[in-house]
Amino acid sequence: MAEPDPDFEELLDAMKKAAGALREAEVPFVLGGGLACWARGAPKTEHDVDFLVRPEDAERAQHALVDAGMRAEKPPEGWLLKAYDGDVLVDLIFHPQGGPVDDELFDRAEDLEVYATRVKVAALEDVLVQKLLALSEQQPDYSSVLEIARALREQVDWEDVRARTEESPFAKGYFTLLDELEIVPAG
């Protein structure tokens, strides 16, 4: 992993600060999204910090971030809460596309060191399933999931991702792209 640029370093600092606050408040969490992929060798993300928390822990998690000096926001979406560390967004996701955050998701997560912080990191299959199921006619952007596939294809259980997204026409399109681009062969 190359030396982070200043904006990415702010993202990583916010991740460390939030992880420390959640750990101190004894809120179990899993690092998800782009940082979960970056921790395994994917390109850096410019977007935000995603933590997966159980639904019953979401408000307590947000309070822990506020106690650590972050600004809370309750968005209209009913599946996440938000906090800001300066300009860096920290999402607390408790009901992502693909199902709630539960014991199985925690069991699939792996303990990794991310920017000198030991955290549970979401399984790549969970990240991909969540991202694929979030694609819609209003948000049909395949760029992040194509980037993940190119960078981490050898680390992904593609049959698991296919099975968990088989009802999504956008996931079907994704797998067609992966096959046609010779990133991942058809299953």
Side-chain angles (χ1 to χ4, degrees):
M1 287 179 257
E3 188 66 31
D5 65 40
D7 290 341
F8 188 60
E9 193 160 346
E10 286 179 19
L11 193 76
L12 293 172
D13 287 341
M15 184 270 307
K16 284 179 78 164
K17 180 178 179 179
L22 293 172
R23 196 173 284 120
E24 188 173 305
E26 298 181 0
V27 176
F29 65 91
V30 172
L31 180 66
L35 284 178
C37 297
W38 177 78
R40 292 185 171 87
K44 64 186 175 189
T45 179
E46 301 289 328
H47 193 56
D48 59 13
V49 178
D50 291 330
F51 285 115
L52 302 163
V53 296
R54 290 180 178 92
E56 62 270 19
D57 293 330
E59 288 191 19
R60 196 163 57 92
Q62 189 180 46
H63 290 298
L65 298 185
V66 168
D67 289 346
M70 296 186 191
R71 177 176 47 87
E73 181 180 302
K74 187 169 183 176
E77 303 90 349
W79 51 272
L80 83 163
L81 296 173
K82 297 176 181 278
Y84 287 88
D85 185 27
D87 292 332
V88 178
L89 172 61
V90 178
D91 282 335
L92 298 167
I93 301 168
F94 54 88
H95 203 310
Q97 295 292 330
V101 177
D102 58 15
D103 291 343
E104 291 177 9
L105 183 137
F106 273 82
D107 290 345
R108 288 188 300 266
E110 184 179 358
D111 286 319
L112 296 175
E113 189 167 306
V114 182
Y115 198 56
T117 301
R118 197 107 183 125
V119 294
K120 285 186 100 45
V121 178
L124 289 173
E125 295 80 10
D126 288 325
V127 174
L128 279 164
V129 166
Q130 291 164 10
K131 287 182 174 289
L132 286 170
L133 294 178
L135 294 173
S136 68
E137 290 182 34
Q138 294 76 32
Q139 297 279 329
D141 184 358
Y142 286 94
S143 59
S144 71
V145 288
L146 286 172
E147 187 174 63
I148 294 166
R150 283 192 188 283
L152 304 174
R153 63 181 155 234
E154 296 86 10
Q155 299 178 50
V156 176
D157 179 345
W158 291 106
E159 291 311 309
D160 177 54
V161 176
R162 281 180 204 271
R164 291 167 59 191
T165 61
E166 67 186 351
E167 298 299 317
S168 166
F170 294 94
K172 289 175 185 165
Y174 174 69
F175 283 108
T176 299
L177 283 170
L178 294 185
D179 182 39
E180 291 293 319
L181 297 171
E182 298 180 357
I183 297 170
V184 175

